[in-house]
Amino acid sequence: MTKTYQAVGIGNAVVDVITQCDDAFLSRMGIEKGVMQLIEEERGELLYSAMENRRQMAGGSVANTIAGLGALGLSTGFIGRVRDDEPGRFYAGGMAEVGVDFVNAPVAGGELPTSKSMIFVTPDGERSMNTYLGISTELGPEDVPEAAAGGAGLLLLEGYLYDKPKGKAAFTRAARACREGGGMAGITLSDPFCVDRHREDFRALVGELDYVLGNEHEWRALYQTDDLGAALEQAAAESGLIVCTRSGHDVAIVRGDQTVSVPVRAVTPVDSTGAGDQFAAGFLYGLATGAPLEAAGRMGCIAAAEVIGHYGARPERDVKALLAAEGLV
């Protein structure tokens, strides 16, 4: 079947606002270092006003992955919800600029503003994210065009959507349409706290979806164990394809009785924002183009290394050229 899109993502549409700061600033503002915290609108405005030399870009975890896939040359779409306000129009335009079809028009007269994430990057490259989710939390099944989800070769779902019943329903509709259309649907586990909130649902999804992406902390949280090997062994017994990233260490990929370990080259990060998102982009590019698992894993590592070499969560260099230089495309 001819597909409308080679890859479609569904997730929170968040405007990323990035600035540099030191640890003293984090302490002064009561920001917990190195984690993503959900905040209310008032707190968001306070942090936004405290940011100096801020840069703004269209973001959100799965949206970043889809933008990375678009930059690699795949036909891509993104399902998300923004308000018809200045940040929302900026977001829609930003996705179009990187070749992604933002399939949902900004919502006129929405009660909540467009989502924003205030990201503070310290000199060690660690990022501390403070996210006001706004209107993106209202994403529901009515926002999922059947043609977009059903016409996707690959569908990537964002774990954060499970925080509201409407998001969960949107997720279910999209996954069902994709798989009925002959596509592959998978999920990124998002973060350990998200896993803790939705463990039962996520455990069921491991067995129901075609692939699951997560880092070592998320996999341990999912199976409530400190033994990563045991967690991955259990996941592999339940899922068709699992991927586990470990910051600075080999990536583990398991499909059936095939286990692949992909070495990671150490890179000193400028900004670790988007490392997991772009790993997913590189890996899914390999999956979409029929590359062997080891090659797909290497593609993910190269894409992740590129993005942590600069500020922001999206590629700035030609990642496809980097893959070609390694003989991968």
Side-chain angles (χ1 to χ4, degrees):
M1 174 189 278
T2 301
K3 293 295 181 184
T4 308
Y5 302 103
Q6 289 168 287
V8 169
I10 175 170
N12 287 314
V14 183
V15 175
D16 284 342
V17 189
I18 301 176
T19 192
Q20 296 167 259
C21 72
D22 56 20
D23 287 349
F25 177 89
L26 296 182
S27 179
R28 191 164 65 249
M29 298 301 294
I31 297 168
E32 188 173 349
K33 184 174 179 175
V35 301
M36 195 286 286
Q37 292 182 300
L38 295 177
I39 57 174
E40 297 301 320
E41 184 176 5
E42 187 177 346
R43 169 75 170 163
E45 292 306 320
L46 172 69
L47 294 179
Y48 183 80
S49 65
M51 302 176 92
E52 295 181 5
N53 301 315
R54 55 187 177 235
R55 293 175 58 199
Q56 183 170 283
M57 60 200 72
S61 174
V62 163
N64 290 335
T65 296
I66 294 300
L69 285 165
L72 282 163
L74 296 194
S75 57
T76 53
F78 181 70
I79 297 166
R81 191 172 174 88
V82 297
R83 186 175 176 177
D84 188 10
D85 53 14
E86 188 279 323
R89 292 187 290 272
F90 169 84
Y91 191 95
M95 293 300 277
E97 281 176 16
V98 295
V100 177
D101 186 4
F102 187 56
V103 301
N104 306 89
V107 179
E111 291 182 12
L112 296 171
T114 294
S115 310
K116 288 203 293 279
S117 182
M118 276 56 71
I119 303 171
F120 298 88
V121 184
T122 41
D124 58 3
E126 193 67 73
R127 83 273 193 261
S128 308
M129 305 172 70
N130 300 262
T131 304
Y132 168 63
L133 286 177
I135 198 171
S136 66
T137 62
E138 298 300 310
L139 184 79
E142 68 279 4
D143 296 306
V144 179
E146 196 82 19
L154 276 176
L155 179 73
L156 179 61
L157 305 151
E158 188 171 296
Y160 290 125
L161 284 184
Y162 260 63
D163 278 332
K164 279 204 171 182
K166 286 174 70 174
K168 189 173 175 179
F171 186 118
T172 301
R173 174 181 165 92
R176 184 175 296 136
C178 172
R179 299 185 86 198
E180 286 176 353
M184 291 178 64
I187 184 174
T188 172
L189 295 175
S190 293
D191 77 11
F193 303 109
C194 186
V195 171
D196 287 339
R197 292 192 296 271
H198 306 293
R199 184 174 292 107
E200 191 174 320
D201 283 326
F202 284 0
R203 285 283 301 274
L205 285 168
V206 169
E208 291 171 6
L209 296 176
D210 300 297
Y211 63 92
V212 184
L213 309 178
N215 64 34
E216 57 183 319
H217 307 295
E218 293 154 5
W219 284 113
R220 286 194 183 105
L222 187 63
Y223 292 100
Q224 295 178 286
T225 177
D226 290 331
D227 186 338
L228 179 62
L232 296 184
E233 187 176 340
Q234 194 166 348
E238 297 173 0
S239 176
L241 173 61
I242 65 162
V243 181
C244 175
T245 57
R246 299 181 299 152
S247 182
H249 298 282
D250 291 3
V251 175
I253 306 170
V254 186
R255 179 162 60 190
D257 57 4
Q258 182 185 9
T259 300
V260 174
S261 182
V262 181
V264 173
R265 296 175 191 164
V267 177
T268 302
V270 172
D271 172 15
S272 58
T273 309
D277 303 338
Q278 294 311 318
F279 172 86
F283 177 78
L284 293 176
Y285 177 79
L287 204 61
T289 56
L293 290 183
E294 187 198 7
R298 287 176 61 201
M299 291 175 181
C301 293
I302 290 167
E306 188 281 332
V307 82
I308 66 174
H310 57 75
Y311 289 101
R314 297 192 176 175
E316 291 185 353
R317 296 170 68 191
D318 183 345
V319 176
K320 196 165 185 179
L322 299 178
L323 301 184
E326 295 286 333
L328 292 169
V329 294

